[in-house]
Amino acid sequence: FSTSRNWLKLKKLEIMNNRIKKLREQSLNAINKISPERAILITKFYKSDIAKQNSIPKQRALWLKYFLENKKLCYNDGELIIGERGPQPKATPTYPEICLHSIEDLEILDARPKVSFKVDEECKNIYKNTIIPFWKGRTQRERLFNQMSDKWLDAYNAGVFTEFQEQRAPGHTANGNKIYKKGLLDIINDTHKSIENLDFYNDENAFEKREELQAMEIAAKAMIDYAKRNSDFLFKLAKAEKNSDKKAELENLANICLKVPAHKPETFHEALQYYWFVHLGVISELNPWDSFNPGRLDQHLYPFYKNDLENGTLTKEDAVEILQSFWVKFNNHPAPPKI
């Protein structure tokens, strides 16, 4: 997300308070590294019976549910938006179901001088003994390349072009405004209405549509449960916190996670946290190479900003601080390519 990168390069640090300066420095100083967490979890899931017993839409929704139930939670001291796609900032997941890094790939990522990703021996061993044996021959990249003509493969191997589909899922996507008008419980209710309106007598695709709609409900419930996990985590941190201001801040963020994404946001802070949960869900389930972005965030946020200013629950300085904390989150999420 180029806006966040540009912001992080600003020299006028006086526009940041101490909290944001600290978060910014933590983000800039964090070391890019490959995290095997997602690869381990997706391998465990697709080895399980539950993956084999469901349609592809439900498989993918149930995988997201499994991941969000088991991924490590992360709260960086002082931040106002919670959630990392890895176990810590710049601990970057891989997507072996799309393209499978070889041990040589991992070694190149670790050693290359520009935009390196550190890979420890434990990660290499996990890949060698678990990830590569299971995913070899099953990846999206291999399936796609097996369908291409010899002429296409010759051109590719000669370096005439690169094919991005070998390393990410399709799509460059901008978020719309639906999440600012509806909570996921509302969207789940919409799926129920759509299922009720399916015509199994006259629509030959009705079964497939129902599977897709039911998968949407599974994914939405998974996101709500993930937010609840974060809320419980924050309340636990708040209980142990001695500083009254920090305790109140943690409790406020915990209550926001109880509100969104289950329900539609009503405040500026809730709207940004809702978006961030959706962002994490999209880039965790399948990798669009970080091509999911907030879209017209100014238009989406302005009504919340205006309302909060008018009712006295937000100041301009508060809004800037929350937004800056939000931008830092993007810089915490580098994306390594397939070598």
Side-chain angles (χ1 to χ4, degrees):
F1 192 56
S2 59
T3 303
S4 67
R5 295 192 188 101
N6 291 335
W7 172 78
L8 285 159
K9 294 176 182 177
L10 286 175
K11 295 182 179 179
K12 295 181 179 179
L13 297 185
E14 64 270 14
I15 68 172
M16 306 178 207
N17 61 23
N18 288 333
R19 177 207 303 276
I20 301 303
K21 287 179 182 178
K22 177 183 175 182
L23 291 171
R24 176 183 182 275
E25 288 305 310
Q26 287 176 343
S27 183
L28 291 173
N29 294 330
I31 297 173
N32 296 352
K33 65 179 182 180
I34 296 296
S35 166
E37 179 186 54
R38 184 186 180 280
I40 292 170
L41 290 174
I42 197 169
T43 303
K44 286 182 179 179
F45 175 80
Y46 277 99
K47 282 182 175 180
S48 70
D49 290 337
I50 191 169
K52 302 170 185 175
Q53 295 168 356
N54 286 279
S55 64
I56 290 177
K58 285 185 178 176
Q59 280 181 15
R60 291 178 59 172
L62 289 166
W63 144 244
L64 179 63
K65 178 177 184 291
Y66 179 77
F67 176 71
L68 295 176
E69 288 174 342
N70 290 281
K71 79 178 298 293
K72 183 179 178 181
L73 301 181
C74 177
Y75 171 76
N76 304 301
D77 184 44
E79 66 183 358
L80 300 173
I81 302 293
I82 190 172
E84 298 288 346
R85 76 176 184 181
Q88 62 194 69
K90 296 190 179 177
T92 307
T94 58
Y95 299 77
E97 75 277 31
I98 300 176
C99 67
L100 184 61
H101 288 88
S102 66
I103 299 301
E104 181 183 7
D105 288 340
L106 296 177
E107 290 174 345
I108 292 172
L109 285 170
D110 180 72
R112 67 185 184 182
K114 292 185 179 180
V115 195
S116 64
F117 289 79
K118 296 305 174 185
V119 186
D120 59 28
E121 289 303 315
E122 180 183 11
C123 181
K124 291 178 187 177
N125 287 333
I126 290 169
Y127 253 78
K128 179 180 178 181
N129 298 321
T130 304
I131 310 304
I132 293 174
F134 180 79
W135 289 103
K136 186 69 173 177
R138 300 170 185 251
T139 67
Q140 172 182 283
R141 181 182 191 272
E142 289 167 293
R143 292 176 181 179
L144 284 171
F145 275 50
N146 287 340
Q147 298 299 315
M148 306 310 291
S149 68
D150 289 340
K151 287 185 178 180
W152 187 95
L153 292 171
D154 288 342
Y156 174 84
N157 290 326
V160 173
F161 55 83
T162 59
E163 175 44 56
F164 285 172
Q165 282 294 100
E166 67 174 303
Q167 52 189 298
R168 62 165 173 80
H172 286 67
T173 310
N175 182 65
N177 65 359
K178 180 179 288 188
I179 67 169
Y180 304 106
K181 297 180 178 180
K182 290 186 175 185
L184 292 185
L185 289 175
D186 297 317
I187 292 173
I188 289 170
N189 188 52
D190 290 343
T191 67
H192 291 170
K193 291 177 181 178
S194 295
I195 290 173
E196 290 173 3
N197 291 328
L198 289 174
D199 184 352
F200 285 89
Y201 292 101
N202 300 303
D203 184 353
E204 63 181 12
N205 297 315
F207 176 79
E208 288 78 9
K209 291 177 181 178
R210 186 179 67 181
E211 291 294 291
E212 181 71 27
L213 289 162
Q214 289 175 340
M216 292 177 186
E217 179 176 352
I218 293 168
K221 286 181 176 178
M223 292 304 305
I224 293 170
D225 291 343
Y226 174 64
K228 176 64 165 55
R229 279 190 71 205
N230 279 274
S231 178
D232 293 342
F233 179 53
L234 288 164
F235 276 127
K236 185 176 180 180
L237 293 177
K239 186 176 182 180
E241 180 58 58
K242 303 300 182 184
N243 182 286
S244 59
D245 289 338
K246 284 190 174 182
K247 179 186 286 287
E249 195 171 85
L250 288 164
E251 289 173 344
N252 179 59
L253 187 52
N255 282 316
I256 288 174
C257 294
L258 285 179
K259 173 76 174 292
V260 297
H263 305 279
K264 70 177 183 180
E266 295 179 302
T267 70
F268 184 84
H269 200 165
E270 289 173 359
L272 278 170
Q273 183 62 66
Y274 190 162
Y275 170 80
W276 191 246
F277 278 139
V278 171
H279 184 94
L280 289 177
V282 171
I283 67 171
S284 294
E285 189 271 324
L286 200 63
N287 180 29
W289 206 4
D290 293 352
S291 298
F292 184 74
N293 73 73
R296 291 309 305 269
L297 193 63
D298 54 343
Q299 293 181 1
H300 301 325
L301 289 180
Y302 183 70
F304 297 100
Y305 174 71
K306 184 173 182 291
N307 185 66
D308 288 358
L309 284 182
E310 290 174 352
N311 65 30
T313 58
L314 185 78
T315 67
K316 180 179 179 180
E317 291 73 24
D318 293 335
V320 169
E321 184 182 45
I322 296 168
L323 271 172
Q324 289 175 335
S325 183
F326 178 74
W327 299 136
V328 169
K329 305 300 287 186
F330 285 97
N331 198 67
N332 287 348
H333 290 186
K338 177 77 170 71
I339 299 301

